[in-house]
């Protein structure tokens, strides 16, 4: 699909120095990435620095998590209005690390998705099965249940302004990438599930693959019919590998 997205989720990895190094590298190389929008997801304290250093570039900014509430007594949380002051365009919602380590429920994920759209930002809804679920043959039902929770809360039309990221939990940070065929099977099922309630939105929906994407694996993954880019963790921390993944978008 034309116009892929290659997103770099830095997770909890950054310092002022490494941010400048990485962004300088991305700025030098961004012109070589012709067929993908590059997006970086820094930790919150670096948003101001990232916004300043990326000004005048086409590289977009996202946040890794967001609070669904507007403001008030939510100690430790960051609002969408705050993120927007730093030029943010995207918010990850429902990353498996948030679901597993911070017990985020499908209902909380749906609330964050709705709040992100209400703030006129684009949610990237992350879904994916564990190894145990895959081995039990539950992959498609787990993933479609996660998406259905958002459809129930926000409606199918909401996918006009949303991205889905399929990230099998067993492939995240493990060096085990889903094969292009395994990924395509799930991406196709995701698109079909959204199409059952919102056919128009499903046709243009961008579905990213995440889970140990590298420059070596990206090209074949991105060549699959229903894969519209990548959500990259480890390999997004070096400009060279992130740009090479961006160049794999054809
Ligand atoms: P890795 O690319 O490090 O496996 O991380 C994937 C991920 O979780 C991106 O959100």
């Amino acid at each position: 699909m034309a116009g892929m997205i290659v997103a770099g989720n830095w997770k909890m990895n950054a310092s002022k120095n490494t941010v400048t190094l990485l962004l300088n590298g991305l700025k030098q190389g961004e012109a070589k990435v012709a067929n993908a929008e590059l997006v970086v997801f820094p930790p919150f304290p670096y948003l101001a620095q990232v916004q300043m250093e990326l000004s005048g570039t086409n590289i977009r900014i996202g946040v890794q998590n967001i609070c669904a509430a507007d403001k008030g007594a939510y100690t430790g949380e960051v609002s969408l209005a705050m993120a927007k002051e730093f030029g943010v365009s995207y918010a990850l919602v429902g990353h498996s690390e948030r679901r597993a380590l911070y017990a985020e429920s499908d209902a909380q994920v749906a609330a964050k998705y709705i709040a992100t759209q209400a703030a006129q930002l684009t949610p990237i809804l992350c879904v994916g099965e564990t190894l145990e679920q895959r081995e039990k043959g539950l992959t498609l039902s787990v993933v479609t249940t996660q998406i259905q929770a958002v459809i129930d809360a926000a409606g199918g039309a909401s996918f006009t302004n949303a991205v889905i990221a399929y990230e099998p939990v067993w492939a995240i940070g493990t060096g085990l990438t889903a094969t292009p065929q395994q990924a395509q099977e799930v991406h196709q099922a995701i698109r079909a599930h959204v199409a059952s309630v919102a056919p128009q939105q499903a046709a243009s929906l961008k579905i990213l693959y995440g889970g140990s994407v590298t420059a070596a694996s990206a090209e074949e993954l991105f060549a699959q019919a229903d894969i519209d880019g990548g959500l990259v963790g480890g390999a997004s921390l070096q400009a060279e590998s992130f740009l090479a993944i961006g160049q794999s978008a054809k």
Side-chain angles (χ1 to χ4, degrees):
M1 184 182 292
M4 292 205 171
I5 296 174
V6 172
N9 176 8
W10 298 355
K11 307 190 180 183
M12 201 169 71
N13 300 292
S15 69
K16 288 186 196 177
N17 282 335
T18 62
V19 167
T20 297
L21 259 174
L22 173 53
L23 295 182
N24 281 345
L26 295 184
K27 285 189 280 190
Q28 275 164 24
E30 79 163 310
K32 287 185 268 178
V33 178
N35 299 309
E37 176 180 82
L38 297 177
V39 192
V40 295
F41 291 76
F44 288 120
Y46 303 96
L47 280 177
Q49 182 185 349
V50 170
Q51 181 188 30
M52 194 172 66
E53 295 190 12
L54 288 182
S55 73
T57 74
N58 292 317
I59 303 169
R60 315 276 296 271
I61 307 168
V63 288
Q64 300 172 19
N65 180 39
I66 205 67
C67 183
D70 285 347
K71 63 175 175 174
Y74 299 93
T75 300
E77 293 293 295
V78 172
S79 75
L80 283 147
M82 293 171 191
K84 279 182 79 165
E85 288 206 283
F86 297 96
V88 164
S89 308
Y90 292 97
L92 299 184
V93 301
H95 191 282
S96 65
E97 287 152 18
R98 302 288 322 168
R99 293 180 193 260
L101 302 173
Y102 302 97
E104 277 190 18
S105 65
D106 277 345
Q108 286 171 312
V109 171
K112 290 180 184 204
Y113 174 99
I114 289 169
T116 300
Q117 290 186 333
Q120 265 122 43
L121 299 187
T122 303
I124 300 185
L125 171 64
C126 304
V127 298
E129 82 289 1
T130 63
L131 184 58
E132 193 187 351
Q133 289 165 333
R134 173 163 283 267
E135 285 171 346
K136 287 185 181 154
L138 297 173
T139 297
L140 299 184
S141 76
V142 166
V143 165
T144 53
T145 300
Q146 288 170 334
I147 292 169
Q148 189 59 41
V150 168
I151 294 173
D152 289 343
S158 73
F159 287 93
T160 303
N161 177 30
V163 173
I164 291 178
Y166 168 56
E167 298 204 299
V169 176
W170 50 271
I172 294 177
T174 58
L176 292 172
T177 314
T179 65
Q181 294 69 30
Q182 283 174 322
Q184 167 58 22
E185 182 196 13
V186 181
H187 282 231
Q188 189 173 33
I190 289 171
R191 198 178 303 283
H193 190 76
V194 174
S196 69
V197 293
Q200 260 184 314
Q201 284 80 2
S204 55
L205 177 65
K206 291 202 197 311
I207 308 175
L208 315 183
Y209 170 80
S212 298
V213 176
T214 62
S217 61
E219 189 157 335
E220 219 191 320
L221 284 163
F222 294 174
Q224 304 303 307
D226 291 293
I227 300 185
D228 307 306
L231 180 53
V232 186
S236 74
L237 298 173
Q238 305 287 337
E240 196 185 356
S241 48
F242 189 56
L243 289 166
I245 293 168
Q247 287 178 274
S248 303
K250 295 282 152 60

